[in-house]
Amino acid sequence: MHQDIKKILVTEEEIIKRTDELARQICEDYRKEGKLPLVVGLLKGSVPFLAELIKHMDLDICFDFMDVSSYEGTESIGDVKINLDLHASVKDGSVLLVEDIVDTGRTLKEVKRMLKNKGASDVKVVSLLDKPDRRVVEIEADYVGFVVPNEFVVGYGLDYNQKYRNLPYVGVLKDEIYG
Ligand code: XMP
Ligand code: MG
C-alpha cells in the first residue's frame, strides 16, 4: 500500500470483478435495445476505469474523451467549462458516459445536457463510484460500481492535486497529507 494512504476502500480485485459485471450488464442492455453506444470518458479520472471496462465489453464499440471542469462553490448548474471536446459526432447516436465518481452530480447533469444538445439520442452513465450523500442536483448514474461514504477518495483515476491517479485501488489519504 502507498505510504500516503490511510485505508483502502475498494481493492483492485473488487474493481476488476465489479467492472466485468457492469460490462456484461451494459452490453446485455444495449443488445436488447439494438444499439451500439459511443463510449465517452471524462478526462482524466475515468481513464483507468474506462480501460478496464472496455476490455470486458463484448460489443464493437468506439470510444472518445471529453475534458470538462466544473466550478466548485457555484449554486447554479450550467457552470461547466469544456477544455476538450469530442472528436466523434454523437448526432442520433447512443452515448455511454464513463465517470470516475458522481459527487454533487453537477458535472454529470451538465455533460448529459450538452450531449443531448449535440443531438445524442440517448445518454447513459456508468460511474465507478457514487457518493450519494453529497448530491445537490437530482441525477443518478445508470450503472454504479461502488457506493462510497462521504470521504475524499483517491486512486484508480481519482486524484489529489493530480497525484495518486495511478494507484490500482480506491483509498483514503492520511490526514497529514492535506497539511
Ligand atoms: P460533481 O460534484 O459535479 O463532480 O459530481 C464530480 C467530479 O468531482 C471530482 N470528485 C472527486 N475527486 N476524490 C477525487 O479525487 C473525490 O472524493 C471526489 N469527489 C468528486 C471528480 O473529478 C468527479 O469527476
Ligand atoms: Mg472527474
Side-chain angles (χ1 to χ4, degrees):
M1 184 162 86
H2 191 288
Q3 68 270 16
D4 295 353
I5 295 289
K6 178 165 71 177
K7 63 178 173 193
I8 293 178
L9 292 183
V10 194
T11 67
E12 184 174 17
E13 291 71 25
E14 288 169 330
I15 292 171
I16 293 170
K17 181 169 175 281
R18 182 71 186 127
T19 305
D20 179 40
E21 288 169 5
L22 288 173
R24 284 168 198 267
Q25 185 63 56
I26 289 167
C27 289
E28 192 184 317
D29 292 351
Y30 277 110
R31 243 184 238 109
K32 261 189 220 152
E33 294 177 33
K35 293 174 177 168
L36 190 61
L38 173 70
V39 177
V40 173
L42 293 185
L43 292 173
K44 305 169 188 165
S46 74
V47 168
F49 177 48
L50 183 142
E52 187 61 34
L53 187 75
I54 57 174
K55 286 191 275 182
H56 300 276
M57 286 182 75
D58 187 18
L59 284 177
D60 291 327
I61 53 101
C62 294
F63 64 87
D64 201 352
F65 293 99
M66 274 181 98
D67 183 15
V68 301
S69 39
S70 50
Y71 300 109
E72 265 298 300
T74 47
E75 285 310 309
S76 61
I77 57 161
D79 291 324
V80 172
K81 185 178 146 219
I82 302 179
N83 304 315
L84 177 77
D85 209 344
L86 293 174
H87 290 89
S89 165
V90 296
K91 192 151 172 36
D92 301 324
S94 302
V95 174
L96 176 67
L97 203 52
V98 184
E99 252 290 39
D100 49 0
I101 188 166
V102 186
D103 190 45
T104 64
R106 285 194 183 108
T107 309
L108 203 55
K109 183 140 190 173
E110 189 56 20
V111 172
K112 269 184 100 164
R113 196 187 62 81
M114 284 174 190
L115 291 167
K116 290 270 176 68
N117 280 351
K118 284 173 180 278
S121 58
D122 70 278
V123 182
K124 282 187 181 173
V125 178
V126 56
S127 184
L128 173 64
L129 305 175
D130 187 9
K131 222 192 256 184
D133 295 348
R134 290 256 307 165
R135 203 76 91 249
V136 298
V137 298
E138 218 173 290
I139 193 152
E140 296 303 328
D142 300 273
Y143 307 94
V144 169
F146 302 90
V147 173
V148 290
N150 189 2
E151 280 185 281
F152 194 79
V153 294
V154 297
Y156 222 86
L158 294 133
D159 72 302
Y160 175 60
N161 290 342
Q162 299 300 325
K163 217 173 145 183
Y164 311 109
R165 291 191 194 274
N166 60 316
L167 298 182
Y169 46 79
V170 173
V172 179
L173 288 169
K174 288 178 182 167
D175 300 339
E176 61 256 38
I177 303 303
Y178 298 109

